[in-house]
Amino acid sequence: MLPEGLPSEPMTEVDTGSVRRALQEHRDDAVARRAQLMAKPERGSGISFGKRVGDGTIEAVSRLSEVGVVDSLNLSIERVERALAKLDEGSYGCCDVCGEPIPPARLAARPESVVCVKHAQAPRPRR
């Protein structure tokens, strides 16, 4: 069941201006967060393996975790860039795989969606 106020049919007309603004804001936030995570640590805050071994281990695990977040942000930025390209092409709202309309509820929840639910659930090849 769709949330109240959303049409039950595929979107035929989209307010491209508001979608574009939302996508650009999402991209800008992800780019800023990625830059923050990738910034060099402040001088003197590096990993040290001095008297307390746990301090260095905690920092190392934290950095590994940040690498995973950066990978996720990179994927998010790629999806947003593809959605923006689809807006420019005039194909926004159509699945990249099958060409069928993407349900309006999916686009409302995740404007960066470029595939329908069926193809979003399909197993993806490992990188």
Side-chain angles (χ1 to χ4, degrees), residues 9 17 36 41 59 110:
E9 294 299 313
Q36 183 182 28
E59 181 66 25
R110 299 193 63 129

Side-chain angles (χ1 to χ4, degrees), residues 14-24 87:
V14 176
D15 179 3
T16 57
S18 64
V19 170
R20 184 177 302 281
R21 282 188 298 279
L23 288 169
Q24 289 171 335
L87 276 170

Side-chain angles (χ1 to χ4, degrees), residues 48-123:
S48 66
F49 295 97
K51 295 179 182 177
R52 296 187 331 179
V53 176
D55 293 342
T57 304
I58 291 168
E59 181 66 25
V61 169
S62 175
R63 293 301 282 177
L64 284 173
S65 192
E66 289 170 0
V67 167
V69 172
V70 168
D71 287 346
S72 178
L73 288 169
N74 286 336
L75 286 172
S76 180
I77 292 166
E78 286 176 24
R79 280 190 220 104
V80 169
E81 291 292 341
R82 178 61 189 137
L84 287 167
K86 287 176 72 75
L87 276 170
D88 292 339
E89 297 166 1
S91 63
Y92 181 78
C94 293
C95 178
D96 269 354
V97 178
C98 66
E100 292 294 317
I102 298 171
R106 178 167 173 74
L107 291 174
R110 299 193 63 129
E112 72 277 10
S113 298
V114 295
V115 294
C116 62
V117 175
K118 174 185 166 189
H119 289 106
Q121 293 173 341

